[in-house]
Amino acid sequence: DGSKATFGEKDDLSQQAVYPITLWEDIFGNVIEYEYYSNSPNYRISDIRFKHKNNDEYEGSLSFEYSSRFDYLNTYFAGEYSTQDQLLKTVTSISNGDTLCTYNLSHQFKSEVNLLTSIECTNPSNKGLRPLQFSYGNLDNYGETFNHDIYLNTNIFLSSYFPSSSDIKLEYHRGKMLANNYKDGLVILPYFEN
């Protein structure tokens, strides 16, 4: 498609075990730049910035923040000591200098590992959709029958986030959600036409 990508830092000519993408440009001159927290060979994305071909300023960006974790293993990657000792906590979306949304990731330490339990999106005025929640079943007795509270405890429904039912179409997906369980699950998502 004519796109160009740069892997690794332009000024760093040393041999590395990993060369992460640092720049992507399409045939029209639109650019995406990637920045990392670097501790070779561990690279954690810190920022992604978007720039239109006719603009010298960045129009949008994503910023990533992490916190320390203690449930990691020390390993070696391509002969270098490697540790993944950071846990993604927030992703912030910015457009033309204004924060659009901050995604907050919540974790629970259980069975010797940090498990992602929810992702919540809020705007600067602390308004947002209900959090996306994750369940891992009963990890203490895997394979045994367990109950999940899948019922809504409030009267807030997805369609109530939109001014009228004609503003949004809902997409329904029914299927098996839990391993070793014959109960069906239902996922309802907003459907936006392009």
Side-chain angles (χ1 to χ4, degrees):
D1 71 355
S3 299
K4 299 182 292 185
T6 302
F7 294 87
E9 297 296 329
K10 289 181 182 178
D11 300 332
D12 187 0
L13 302 178
S14 64
Q15 186 175 5
Q16 301 289 327
V18 177
Y19 296 93
I21 188 169
T22 54
L23 180 76
W24 180 88
E25 184 176 349
D26 69 11
I27 60 172
F28 305 107
N30 301 310
V31 171
I32 302 175
E33 288 186 3
Y34 304 83
E35 279 193 14
Y36 299 88
Y37 298 110
S38 174
N39 184 9
S40 183
N42 299 316
Y43 290 91
R44 290 184 325 277
I45 193 76
S46 62
D47 291 290
I48 302 174
R49 291 186 298 277
F50 311 92
K51 182 168 40 174
H52 189 268
K53 68 177 180 177
N54 296 328
N55 194 344
D56 292 334
E57 300 293 320
Y58 292 103
E59 294 178 12
S61 67
L62 295 171
S63 297
F64 301 81
E65 294 182 17
Y66 301 83
S67 66
S68 296
R69 66 184 303 166
F70 50 87
D71 61 328
Y72 64 91
L73 296 174
N74 298 323
T75 59
Y76 284 86
F77 179 75
E80 292 187 48
Y81 179 73
S82 174
T83 129
Q84 296 293 336
D85 61 351
Q86 298 291 306
L87 197 59
L88 182 61
K89 294 303 280 185
T90 63
V91 179
T92 303
S93 172
I94 299 170
S95 177
N96 294 318
D98 297 324
T99 298
L100 299 178
C101 180
T102 298
Y103 297 91
N104 296 297
L105 288 75
S106 298
H107 301 82
Q108 177 186 16
F109 187 75
K110 188 172 184 181
S111 298
E112 303 300 318
V113 68
N114 273 297
L115 300 172
L116 179 64
T117 55
S118 71
I119 301 174
E120 182 179 16
C121 175
T122 56
N123 63 15
S125 59
N126 280 331
K127 293 183 180 177
L129 296 174
R130 295 181 64 171
L132 178 61
Q133 297 182 335
F134 301 89
S135 173
Y136 298 90
N138 187 342
L139 295 177
D140 297 326
N141 298 307
Y142 184 75
E144 292 186 13
T145 304
F146 51 87
N147 293 322
H148 289 281
D149 182 14
I150 61 171
Y151 299 103
L152 196 59
N153 294 326
T154 66
N155 291 329
I156 300 174
F157 294 98
L158 182 61
S159 59
S160 69
Y161 285 102
F162 302 95
S164 71
S165 59
S166 64
D167 291 339
I168 186 66
K169 294 179 183 175
L170 298 179
E171 188 175 311
Y172 299 88
H173 295 277
R174 179 180 165 224
K176 304 295 182 197
M177 305 293 177
L178 300 173
N180 304 321
N181 191 316
Y182 295 103
K183 296 178 182 176
D184 286 348
L186 179 66
V187 176
I188 304 172
L189 304 167
Y191 175 78
F192 300 99
E193 293 183 22
N194 292 338

